């Protein structure tokens, strides 16, 4: 929806720039195109120096009790990350039932950010919790870039 709105604003700017032939409208259209190009490239630049992993590994819990997991997000970029999404999957050893969950957060520059989430284990047995991928958004949340991570 945000992409459509941004493109509609660009189309209106192009229309007015073409009909009335005003230089400020043409300059505004050029600036909108430059902003779109920067916002398309920015998530690809930000994903290179972002690492995601679990803070503590091999935690255990009882049946029907909450397990609190902590995810460590380290951002080594000079720019902060406004919004990212991590996809987490929970799976028992029988590999039949798999639950996926998405967590959203933001990451500061140079600091390790910790995200906590709770998981209720409905059955007994070993549960495997994996981080599958991280999706990094630009500052306007119009474009995104995915990075695959296999951390257990």
């Amino acid at each position: 929806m945000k992409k459509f709105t941004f493109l509609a604003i660009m189309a209106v700017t192009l229309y007015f720039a073409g009909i009335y032939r005003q230089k400020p409208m043409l300059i505004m259209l050029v600036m909108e195109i430059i902003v779109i190009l920067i916002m398309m490239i920015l998530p690809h630049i930000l994903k290179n120096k972002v690492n995601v992993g679990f803070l503590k590994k091999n935690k255990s819990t009882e049946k029907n009790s909450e397990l609190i997991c902590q995810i460590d997000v380290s951002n080594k970029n000079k720019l902060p990350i406004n919004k990212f999404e991590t996809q987490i999957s929970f799976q028992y050893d029988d590999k039949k039932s798999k639950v996926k969950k998405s967590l959203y957060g933001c990451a500061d520059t140079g600091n390790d950010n910790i995200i906590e989430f709770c998981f209720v284990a409905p059955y007994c047995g070993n549960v495997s919790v994996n981080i599958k991928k991280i999706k990094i958004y630009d500052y306007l949340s119009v474009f995104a870039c995915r990075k695959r991570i296999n951390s257990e």
Side-chain angles (χ1 to χ4, degrees):
M1 187 69 182
K2 290 181 182 181
K3 287 181 190 177
F4 177 73
T5 306
F6 202 72
L7 289 175
I9 291 171
M10 281 185 60
V12 169
T13 307
L14 177 65
Y15 174 76
F16 284 126
I19 292 293
Y20 297 115
R21 297 183 190 263
Q22 295 180 352
K23 288 196 180 203
M25 294 300 278
L26 289 172
I27 292 171
M28 186 172 156
L29 179 67
V30 169
M31 292 305 292
E32 287 175 357
I33 292 171
I34 290 171
V35 166
I36 264 193
L37 292 176
I38 290 172
M39 289 300 146
M40 284 176 64
I41 295 170
L42 186 65
H44 294 282
I45 294 170
L46 291 177
K47 81 171 184 176
N48 293 331
K49 294 184 180 180
V50 174
N51 293 322
V52 178
F54 288 106
L55 201 58
K56 293 182 181 177
K57 296 185 179 188
N58 298 330
K59 293 176 86 177
S60 61
T61 185
E62 297 176 359
K63 181 180 174 182
N64 291 331
S65 64
E66 286 188 350
L67 176 66
I68 298 174
C69 295
Q70 295 177 334
I71 296 176
D72 180 33
V73 180
S74 63
N75 181 15
K76 304 296 182 199
N77 290 310
K78 292 185 178 180
L79 294 172
I81 296 175
N82 189 29
K83 180 181 175 185
F84 66 87
E85 173 188 2
T86 55
Q87 186 178 19
I88 301 165
S89 66
F90 310 99
Q91 185 173 4
Y92 283 95
D93 286 339
D94 62 0
K95 300 188 192 274
K96 292 179 184 174
S97 60
K98 187 182 243 186
V99 178
K100 291 182 180 177
K101 186 176 184 179
S102 294
L103 295 173
Y104 293 93
C106 58
D108 232 0
T109 57
N111 297 331
D112 290 340
N113 302 294
I114 297 172
I115 300 173
E116 289 185 353
F117 66 95
C118 296
F119 170 65
V120 177
Y123 308 114
C124 294
N126 295 330
V127 179
S128 171
V129 182
N130 298 325
I131 299 174
K132 293 293 183 187
K133 61 185 168 185
I134 184 170
K135 190 174 183 181
I136 299 171
Y137 293 90
D138 64 325
Y139 293 117
L140 299 176
S141 297
V142 177
F143 299 103
C145 179
R146 292 185 183 126
K147 180 180 180 181
R148 297 210 182 272
I149 298 171
N150 292 324
S151 127
E152 232 177 85

